[in-house]
Amino acid sequence: MPSLQFAVVGAGAVGLYYGAKLAWRGRNVRFLMRSGYDQAKRFGVQILSKEGGVSARGPFFFRSAEEIGPVDVVIIGLKTTANPALVKVLPPLLKPGTWIVTLQNGLGNEEWLAQTFGTDRVLGGLCFVCL
């Protein structure tokens, strides 16, 4: 199986949690960071839990989607109210066959993403975590 490249858009609690778990498992994950970039570059991401700690350090953090480039899977952790920004943010991350996985709160986000970026690439996700 080829190694998939992941981009996390919305590197708040949900995006950092799932992205760090993927990176800890050896996956190629790139985080789009706006606030918190300097902190993440310096210290990485640490998750503390009952199951044990997970940390992700390395060159995973980027300030723009253009720096990341096209990937195989985009994980969206943004709040649904920020979806209009995705019209500019997502295109540099997309190539034919890129999946968009939304882990957003709110209603209608899958439909909006499908209308905006294509029904054949959007997957709705559900997560139940206390972060």
Side-chain angles (χ1 to χ4, degrees), residues 9-10 14-15 18 75-86 90 100-114 117 122-127:
V9 175
V14 170
Y18 285 105
I75 298 172
I76 300 178
L78 285 175
K79 293 186 180 0
T80 303
T81 56
N83 276 359
L86 295 174
L90 286 190
I100 299 172
V101 178
T102 174
L103 300 178
Q104 299 175 281
N105 289 337
L107 300 172
N109 55 317
E110 291 94 349
E111 292 85 356
W112 183 86
L113 288 165
F117 299 103
V122 176
L123 299 170
L126 175 66
C127 49

Side-chain angles (χ1 to χ4, degrees), residues 23-76:
W24 182 69
R25 293 284 187 187
R27 301 296 183 243
N28 184 342
V29 181
R30 301 164 187 180
F31 295 91
L32 178 60
M33 304 285 297
R34 296 190 194 259
S35 62
Y37 172 84
D38 293 328
Q39 191 81 357
K41 282 292 265 190
R42 186 169 177 199
F43 299 108
V45 177
Q46 291 191 325
I47 299 169
L48 305 175
S49 75
K50 290 185 211 178
E51 292 85 34
V54 171
S55 65
R57 293 185 66 112
F60 318 126
F61 307 106
F62 299 86
R63 291 186 191 265
S64 73
E66 290 80 10
E67 289 179 278
I68 294 172
V71 296
D72 300 301
V73 180
V74 176
I75 298 172
I76 300 178

